[in-house]
Amino acid sequence: MTSQVSAQADEADGAATGEQRAPGTKEVRRLDRVIIRFAGDSGDGMQLTGDRFTSETASFGNDLSTLPNFPAEIRAPAGTLPGVSSFQLHFADHDILTPGDAPNVLVAMNPAALKANLADLPRGAEIIVNTDEFTKRALTKVGFAASPLEDGSLEAYHVHPVPLTTLTVEALKEFELTRKEAERSKNMFALGLLSWMYHRPTEGTESFLRSKFAKKPRLAEANVAAFRAGWNFGETTEDFAVSYEVAPAASAFPSGTYRNISGNLALAYGLIAASQQADLPLFLGSYPITPASDILHELSRHKNFGVRTFQAEDEIAGIGAALGAAFGGALGVTTTSGPGVALKSETIGLAVSLELPLLIVDIQRGGPSTGLPTKTEQADLLQAMYGRNGEAPVPIVAPSTPADCFDAALEAVRIALAYRTPVFLLSDGYLANGSEPWRIPGIDELPDLRVQFATGPNHTAEDGTEVFLPYKRDPHTLARPWAIPGTPGLEHRIGGIEKQDGTGNISYDPANHDFMVRTRQAKIDGIEVPDLAVDDPTGDASLLVLGWGSTYGPVTAGVRRVRAAGGRVAQAHLRHLNPFPRNLGEVLGRYEKVLVPEMNLGQLAMLLRARYLVDVRSYNQVRGLPFKAEELAKALKEAIDD
């Protein structure tokens, strides 16, 4: 996000204040922030529930950050721990950066959801449980010897037992649905209850439900009725004596028009904007893979912007088609995750040899192999840097937040077009599925990405004839000309065998190969990227914490905590990972200690040590989840005191 940093710590405990109320009305408490987690079985609609609550929160004007978490299986066994799906939302009246370390409120639709998430709850948290699902069989399935609702094990929490299923079925009697059909709406009852508790708008959800079930109006009205019943239950039951208000985060945002956006959606919009600014048709050649598939789905909806999407039979065909489109004068893009990058590696090397603009979007996930398809990780950096045969350098760009995926896409396209090279864009599952407010930019804020295609001869031969040399380079960028197939007089060879400098003819000459290898490397090394900006308020910090990609939010939240406690720490964040910013070595040498948090085993740290001979320290985790602000704050304090 581009909002200004609040004086409040990102993860500070929410402050609550009350207000005077008339007799017979319920108390309303004001909070500055809340973290809610919806959890249930894979079929309970927790992702939809979280999405709707998030949309209404965004329309209300709060700052927010989300963390969807769901199984990789299409339908994990019902009522089991592996089948638990959850959605966490952190919203506040000030600038925040993470989905929060621990939820203040847990909505548990069954015993599995309670057990899977209980360890994350702080003392005093509120738990809303669907008591209808706490049957002996369901409890036994997840290892509860007795019901936690009755054995005193939840005494540290404020527990609200609610028969969600029974209440939903009762509320939908008039719609003559089967019991199974009625039970499916219990997530909307829960959403209505939480919407009442936190004073969320309701019109958007009701409109959404009527649109979603437009072809089944009876189901649409049933879901609306369940939603309203949940709201009314909160209003009338004695168990919920308090509701809460979280004011809009008016001071956190620069003026402008905002919308809630996920990383994958922002990336798709960034690609469309880039194609428009480059005046090139956008072609996506892709094979569906978690967590990148949403980009394919979204881009397929925008044929009106000249977007063409091709769902290939496999990863190799997808990138082959994208590279062919680039050869034909389009903005070629392929989307994938780590396993797909492995399959695409030879064609990425071909794009390096052909020196054509191509964007490889890698939405990283847990590995190796199939690994953790729905969990996040940052472990593809070395694969993007070196995962090809031969010397095949490729620029690498990494977004830092869901909204930043839009700008990162524009930057990756800029480099690809200006330097005629494939470019890696390294997002990850946390950014892809998470969301936050995004200020919609004006057209005049977008960069001009237009390129000039070759239209005629570019070289005079010794005999005076005008010829076209496909590998004659721009002296500034070292980019070769981009010639559209079929342009008279610009015919040239294409293929994977080494090219002769200038002519592009096949060459096995040792000196020529050495020259071409060094030239391709020099082109990448010479890419112009902004200097690394350092946030060091006091100017005398001994520790620099350096991050990349999606660690930005947790790192910044951790830094805020340390500074609030009087610690002095500098912070910097890398967007360009190849080439590095030109001032990076000087920045690293400025600090006594450098700490690099990564969701891998130290890949960036290894690159920095090798390149700059600096004793970089690593702080690593590979749990499939983003860092927590508190654990990073602790690591920073230990590094300062060491």
Side-chain angles (χ1 to χ4, degrees):
M1 282 185 57
T2 56
S3 56
Q4 299 299 309
V5 173
S6 167
Q8 287 178 281
D10 177 56
E11 305 293 339
D13 291 333
T17 58
E19 68 175 21
Q20 296 294 324
R21 54 197 175 99
T25 63
K26 294 190 176 184
E27 180 184 355
V28 178
R29 294 180 187 169
R30 293 190 177 92
L31 303 175
D32 64 352
R33 56 181 283 276
V34 175
I35 303 169
I36 298 174
R37 184 181 297 175
F38 298 93
D41 195 65
S42 294
D44 285 339
M46 294 297 92
Q47 303 305 316
L48 175 63
T49 304
D51 280 340
R52 289 313 314 159
F53 197 93
T54 299
S55 294
E56 299 300 357
T57 296
S59 69
F60 188 73
N62 296 120
D63 195 8
L64 62 89
S65 180
T66 69
L67 178 62
N69 192 0
F70 43 87
E73 291 81 8
I74 293 175
R75 187 66 174 89
T80 64
L81 293 175
V84 173
S85 174
S86 67
F87 189 105
Q88 183 163 305
L89 167 67
H90 181 190
F91 61 102
D93 65 2
H94 58 276
D95 175 50
I96 58 173
L97 296 159
T98 77
D101 285 359
N104 310 115
V105 182
L106 172 66
V107 180
M109 303 297 280
N110 60 20
L114 177 64
K115 187 166 188 177
N117 294 282
L118 191 58
D120 291 339
L121 296 181
R123 293 180 64 86
E126 293 194 74
I127 305 175
I128 300 171
V129 292
N130 179 15
T131 55
D132 289 326
E133 295 297 321
F134 279 68
T135 63
K136 184 175 181 180
R137 182 184 178 193
L139 291 166
T140 302
K141 191 179 291 187
V142 295
F144 279 127
S147 173
L149 304 181
E150 301 170 356
D151 65 4
S153 59
L154 301 180
E155 288 182 353
Y157 312 101
H158 299 295
V159 180
H160 302 278
V162 181
L164 287 173
T165 307
T166 300
L167 291 171
T168 303
V169 172
E170 182 67 24
L172 301 186
K173 270 186 176 180
E174 65 181 271
F175 293 93
E176 298 181 354
L177 302 174
T178 67
R179 181 175 179 85
K180 188 173 182 180
E181 288 176 328
E183 287 179 357
R184 287 176 180 164
S185 298
K186 64 181 180 290
N187 64 324
M188 288 298 106
F189 189 101
L191 178 59
L193 173 58
L194 268 293
S195 296
W196 171 83
M197 281 183 67
Y198 292 97
H199 296 221
R200 300 296 91 184
T202 61
E203 295 81 3
T205 293
E206 293 189 10
S207 177
F208 167 82
L209 290 171
R210 291 191 173 100
S211 174
K212 180 177 176 63
F213 297 104
K215 295 182 180 179
K216 298 179 179 180
R218 188 170 59 129
L219 282 180
E221 292 308 315
N223 276 281
V224 170
F227 176 70
R228 290 178 175 175
W231 177 283
N232 293 334
F233 178 78
E235 182 71 32
T236 58
T237 184
E238 293 299 319
D239 192 41
F240 293 90
V242 178
S243 65
Y244 304 92
E245 284 186 350
V246 180
S251 62
F253 302 119
S255 61
T257 301
Y258 286 79
R259 60 157 295 167
N260 183 50
I261 200 164
S262 69
N264 273 352
L265 183 57
L267 206 156
Y269 286 177
L271 293 174
I272 296 170
S275 73
Q276 294 294 302
Q277 293 302 103
D279 197 21
L280 295 174
L282 173 61
F283 179 91
L284 175 70
S286 184
Y287 181 75
I289 183 171
T290 303
S293 298
D294 286 343
I295 302 171
L296 169 62
H297 301 158
E298 182 61 34
L299 289 178
S300 68
R301 300 186 178 104
H302 296 285
K303 296 181 178 65
N304 55 312
F305 284 112
V307 178
R308 296 294 177 266
T309 53
F310 170 55
Q311 181 174 319
E313 64 269 28
D314 56 37
E315 296 280 6
I316 298 171
I319 190 172
L323 183 57
F327 177 59
L331 176 56
V333 181
T334 190
T335 51
T336 190
S337 191
V341 174
L343 294 168
K344 297 177 187 290
S345 62
E346 184 179 4
T347 306
I348 297 171
L350 177 60
V352 171
S353 175
L354 299 183
E355 301 190 45
L356 287 170
L358 176 70
L359 193 59
I360 305 104
V361 178
D362 177 6
I363 312 298
Q364 301 166 95
R365 71 191 206 188
S369 187
T370 307
L372 304 173
T374 60
K375 311 303 180 184
T376 195
E377 206 163 277
Q378 284 185 298
D380 292 351
L381 176 56
L382 293 182
Q383 183 182 27
M385 186 78 78
Y386 299 120
R388 294 164 294 283
N389 64 296
E391 296 286 347
V394 174
I396 302 172
V397 176
S400 57
T401 70
D404 187 50
C405 288
F406 179 88
D407 294 321
L410 287 164
E411 174 63 2
V413 170
R414 176 192 74 84
I415 293 172
L417 295 178
Y419 294 89
R420 308 286 197 272
T421 177
V423 177
F424 261 101
L425 193 151
L426 289 184
S427 180
D428 62 46
Y430 171 37
L431 296 183
N433 296 317
S435 62
E436 67 177 353
W438 171 58
R439 188 182 70 84
I440 302 172
I443 298 297
D444 58 346
E445 298 176 62
L446 302 179
D448 184 351
L449 300 177
R450 288 173 293 182
V451 296
Q452 295 294 323
F453 292 110
T455 57
N458 61 358
H459 182 73
T460 302
E462 291 182 2
D463 61 3
T465 58
E466 298 291 320
V467 297
F468 174 67
L469 295 183
Y471 280 82
K472 183 174 182 178
R473 302 178 181 280
D474 180 294
H476 177 65
T477 63
L478 298 182
R480 77 175 187 89
W482 194 0
I484 302 298
T487 306
L490 304 191
E491 298 84 358
H492 58 282
R493 294 178 184 270
I494 210 77
I497 298 178
E498 182 62 283
K499 317 295 184 297
Q500 183 183 57
D501 179 43
T503 67
N505 295 333
I506 291 174
S507 174
Y508 292 94
D509 177 63
N512 177 79
H513 177 58
D514 184 271
F515 177 80
M516 293 295 278
V517 166
R518 294 178 185 276
T519 301
R520 287 189 289 261
Q521 183 65 58
K523 180 171 70 171
I524 304 307
D525 292 341
I527 292 173
E528 293 184 1
V529 302
D531 280 349
L532 180 65
V534 181
D535 175 23
D536 187 358
T538 62
D540 61 352
S542 63
L543 173 68
L544 170 70
V545 55
L546 179 65
W548 71 276
S550 66
T551 61
Y552 174 77
V555 167
T556 305
V559 167
R560 289 183 183 179
R561 287 191 174 199
V562 171
R563 289 177 178 170
R568 296 180 179 179
V569 57
Q571 179 187 1
H573 203 78
L574 286 169
R575 164 174 282 181
H576 298 89
L577 297 158
N578 194 32
F580 287 130
R582 285 170 174 73
N583 70 331
L584 178 55
E586 181 271 324
V587 169
L588 294 175
R590 199 188 306 165
Y591 293 91
E592 179 184 338
K593 307 167 190 173
V594 178
L595 184 70
V596 178
E598 298 181 78
M599 292 187 293
N600 57 48
L601 294 183
Q603 296 186 16
L604 175 61
M606 184 177 70
L607 293 173
L608 296 175
R609 292 189 192 107
R611 176 73 178 272
Y612 300 105
L613 303 180
V614 173
D615 184 21
V616 172
R617 307 182 188 188
S618 286
Y619 182 77
N620 310 112
Q621 70 167 40
V622 279
R623 300 180 302 180
L625 295 168
F627 284 108
K628 292 183 177 180
E630 179 58 33
E631 63 191 7
L632 281 174
K634 181 180 178 182
L636 295 179
K637 188 176 186 306
E638 289 175 352
I640 292 172
D641 296 339
D642 185 10

